[in-house]
């Protein structure tokens, strides 16, 4: 068992709780994105046992975070929204040079790749201006229509979680079920949590195989799309500059901490995705 994956799972779990921040981006920062896709896809094959050592500690860290930190994240976003968002902006900006280096942008990108990058980045940035249903009362009981709503919401959110730049929580926010998911975790509403979780599992299976295929057969086009998604996510996360000087200073400090964290873990020694698939 790779028990160090527990802390990686904790970091991914925290990011998945926050609208606008992608667990896939955190996986990139930690240098495990390629193994994550391979392990999720491989777990649903005849060789599933060999992936347990990677996935079990990672999944344990994510579950621990979802159960223990959902209320903490709610508190931070309510009381220190700007500072929390700036921390994640630091994380996101810090990973961009690392991914560009892995893709060898100067060597492999053409005008076509740059157009894809800009278009996809702009498309995601536009979602920052889409009104969401975050004020809806959380769903606390299940009916059959509600089950399917939560199931497919979890499915779409999990597909987003694996793509750097797209936040699964933001997808839930757009669908009007984010408050339901957070409430189910913080109050241990098992039926509601299982309905969403079932969709998440199915989404992971489908999206991991799809992303693996794209990275193998359309490597640099996929890289261009991923970089565009990450850059576009900055517009989703950006909370604006506070007029309060104390809040602004705190936000700049947390931004620096997020940036430093990324630079610490985005080591050149991390395995490149292209080495895995080419």
């Amino acid at each position: 068992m790779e028990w160090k994956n527990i802390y990686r799972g904790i970091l991914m779990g925290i990011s998945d709780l926050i609208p606008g921040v992608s667990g896939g981006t955190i996986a990139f920062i930690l240098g495990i994105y390629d193994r994550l896709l391979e392990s999720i896809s491989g777990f649903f094959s005849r060789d599933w046992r060999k992936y347990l050592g990677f996935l079990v500690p990672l999944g344990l860290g994510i579950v621990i975070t979802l159960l223990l930190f959902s209320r903490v994240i709610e508190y931070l976003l309510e009381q220190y929204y700007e500072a929390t968002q700036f921390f994640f902006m630091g994380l996101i900006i810090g990973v961009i040079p690392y991914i560009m280096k892995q893709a060898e942008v100067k060597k492999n990108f053409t005008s076509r790749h740059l157009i894809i990058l800009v278009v996809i980045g702009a498309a995601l940035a536009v979602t920052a201006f889409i009104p969401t249903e975050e004020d809806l009362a959380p769903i606390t009981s299940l009916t059959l229509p509600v089950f399917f709503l939560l199931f497919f919401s979890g499915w779409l959110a999990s597909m987003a979680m694996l793509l750097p730049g797209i936040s699964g929580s933001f997808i839930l926010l757009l669908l009007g079920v984010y408050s339901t998911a957070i409430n189910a975790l913080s109050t241990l509403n098992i039926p509601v949590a299982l309905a969403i979780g079932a969709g998440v599992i199915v989404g992971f299976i489908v999206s991991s195989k799809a992303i693996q295929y794209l990275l193998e057969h359309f490597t640099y086009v996929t890289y261009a799309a991923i970089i565009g998604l990450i850059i576009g996510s900055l517009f989703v996360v950006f909370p604006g500059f506070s007029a309060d000087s104390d809040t602004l200073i705190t936000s700049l400090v947390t931004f620096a901490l997020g940036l430093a964290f990324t630079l610490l873990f985005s080591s050149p020694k991390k395995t490149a995705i292209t080495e895995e698939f080419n």
Side-chain angles (χ1 to χ4, degrees):
M1 291 288 178
E2 299 181 38
W3 293 112
K4 62 183 178 181
N5 275 351
I6 290 181
Y7 90 84
R8 291 168 171 163
I10 289 173
L11 295 173
M12 289 181 65
I14 290 173
S15 72
D16 285 329
L17 285 172
I18 299 190
V21 183
S22 167
T25 301
I26 302 300
F28 250 120
I29 292 170
L30 298 174
I32 62 169
Y33 188 71
D34 54 335
R35 289 196 64 194
L36 177 65
L37 294 178
E38 178 189 3
S39 298
I40 293 175
S41 180
F43 181 72
F44 298 95
S45 68
R46 283 183 289 182
D47 298 324
W48 61 274
R49 289 182 180 85
K50 75 177 186 178
Y51 300 102
L52 289 177
F54 179 84
L55 286 176
V56 169
L58 191 72
L60 184 60
I62 292 175
V63 170
I64 288 172
T65 301
L66 295 180
L67 293 177
L68 297 183
F69 286 88
S70 56
R71 291 185 180 180
V72 174
I73 295 300
E74 278 186 299
Y75 174 79
L76 288 175
L77 288 174
E78 181 179 344
Q79 301 295 328
Y80 304 100
Y81 177 75
E82 291 87 354
T84 303
Q85 295 296 88
F86 267 93
F87 174 77
F88 281 99
M89 283 185 64
L91 290 179
I92 294 168
I93 290 176
V95 80
I96 293 173
Y98 170 71
I99 297 176
M100 292 179 69
K101 183 175 182 180
Q102 302 306 316
E104 297 182 285
V105 168
K106 291 183 179 180
K107 175 182 176 183
N108 298 308
F109 275 31
T110 64
S111 57
R112 178 183 63 147
H113 296 101
L114 295 176
I115 290 172
I116 291 172
L117 187 159
V118 171
V119 169
I120 290 182
L124 182 58
V126 167
T127 65
F129 304 98
I130 298 176
T132 59
E133 302 292 340
E134 57 186 316
D135 294 327
L136 289 178
I139 298 169
T140 56
S141 60
L142 285 182
T143 62
L144 189 60
V146 167
F147 171 82
F148 283 111
L149 168 66
L150 297 179
F151 177 85
F152 284 108
S153 296
W155 183 332
L156 292 174
S158 68
M159 294 179 73
M161 288 176 195
L162 285 181
L163 282 171
I166 303 182
S167 164
S169 294
F170 186 68
I171 296 298
L172 293 178
L173 201 59
L174 289 176
L175 296 173
V177 297
Y178 177 72
S179 61
T180 295
I182 292 295
N183 179 264
L185 291 170
S186 60
T187 62
L188 294 181
N189 188 327
I190 303 301
V192 172
L194 287 178
I196 299 173
V200 167
I201 291 173
V202 173
F204 275 153
I205 298 170
V206 173
S207 54
S208 63
K209 293 182 180 296
I211 297 171
Q212 269 195 309
Y213 177 85
L214 291 173
L215 282 169
E216 182 176 356
H217 294 90
F218 306 97
T219 303
Y220 299 111
V221 169
T222 306
Y223 262 125
I226 287 174
I227 294 172
L229 289 171
I230 291 175
I231 294 174
S233 71
L234 288 170
F235 294 88
V236 178
V237 178
F238 179 57
F241 292 107
S242 174
D244 180 71
S245 58
D246 290 340
T247 301
L248 181 59
I249 292 172
T250 303
S251 298
L252 293 176
V253 170
T254 56
F255 174 83
L257 289 174
L259 188 61
F261 180 88
T262 302
L263 296 177
L264 175 65
F265 283 97
S266 298
S267 166
K269 296 180 181 180
K270 302 293 184 184
T271 303
I273 290 179
T274 48
E275 293 176 356
E276 181 72 23
F277 290 101
N278 292 330

